[in-house]
Amino acid sequence: MALGQLARGAAAAALQRQSLLHVALYRPQIPANTGSIGRTCLGMGAALHLVGELGFSLDERSVRRAGLDYWDTLSPSTHPDLVALCAALPPSTRFVVFTRFAEESLLDARLVESAATPLCLVFGAETFGMRGAVWPSAVRPLEVAIPSHPSIRSFNLAASAAIAMFEAV
């Protein structure tokens, strides 16, 4: 099989996987990060979910001012809390929370259980992470850390989301 055919086959498999990919931002604070993540979701074919109180407005003027000219194409879902997010997704959805405090590294984690299982990558607020997050009792998210050099506390939220999305597909 030619290299081009292999690449196209891999791309087709990745696109099929993306239709099951969700990204949830828990109480995001910085509109530019949310916009960058939204743009990456569009490029990856992933659905964006905004959960809890936002640190910015989603009205048309604010969105336009933040340079999110593709926002209406993205159509993010909003949920008051994680319980509502979980209820909005299929019961078989696997939730993976990214936190610098996790013991399991992204390098060792198995994000995808099967090609048919929906996957929701969850990221906490830029300033306080997932503090105060309440999950439904039936949901046990996998916690994963993105390894980094010890000279930084963590990666930027938008960079973390992009790393995780590409690792998931």
Side-chain angles (χ1 to χ4, degrees):
M1 182 180 283
L3 185 57
Q5 290 174 315
L6 281 173
R8 280 192 295 281
L15 284 173
Q16 183 179 16
R17 175 78 200 123
Q18 290 164 9
S19 65
L20 298 171
L21 184 60
H22 301 265
V23 174
L25 304 181
Y26 176 73
R27 300 180 65 191
Q29 304 297 300
I30 302 172
N33 279 339
T34 302
S36 181
I37 293 166
R39 179 171 288 215
T40 304
C41 284
L42 271 177
M44 297 291 293
L48 179 63
H49 301 266
L50 304 176
V51 181
E53 185 179 341
L54 308 179
F56 52 88
S57 174
L58 289 177
D59 66 34
E60 184 180 343
R61 181 173 180 249
S62 300
V63 166
R64 190 173 55 249
R65 188 174 189 196
L68 307 178
D69 53 338
Y70 51 86
W71 198 248
D72 52 341
T73 304
L74 179 62
S75 300
S77 301
T78 57
H79 309 277
D81 52 35
L82 291 167
V83 174
L85 168 69
C86 293
L89 295 175
S92 61
T93 301
R94 178 179 173 94
F95 291 90
V96 179
V97 175
F98 287 82
T99 171
R100 66 186 177 113
F101 303 110
E103 292 181 21
E104 187 163 3
S105 167
L106 177 60
L107 300 176
D108 301 322
R110 183 174 172 205
L111 299 184
V112 179
E113 289 182 328
S114 80
T117 301
L119 176 65
C120 185
L121 309 174
V122 183
F123 300 88
E126 295 90 339
T127 55
F128 53 85
M130 295 294 293
R131 194 173 332 130
V134 176
W135 290 91
S137 59
V139 175
R140 297 281 180 251
L142 172 65
E143 291 189 352
V144 175
I146 298 173
S148 64
H149 190 273
S151 64
I152 66 169
R153 182 178 61 249
S154 62
F155 287 103
N156 167 279
L157 180 61
S160 296
I163 290 167
M165 280 189 261
F166 276 91
E167 187 65 28
V169 297

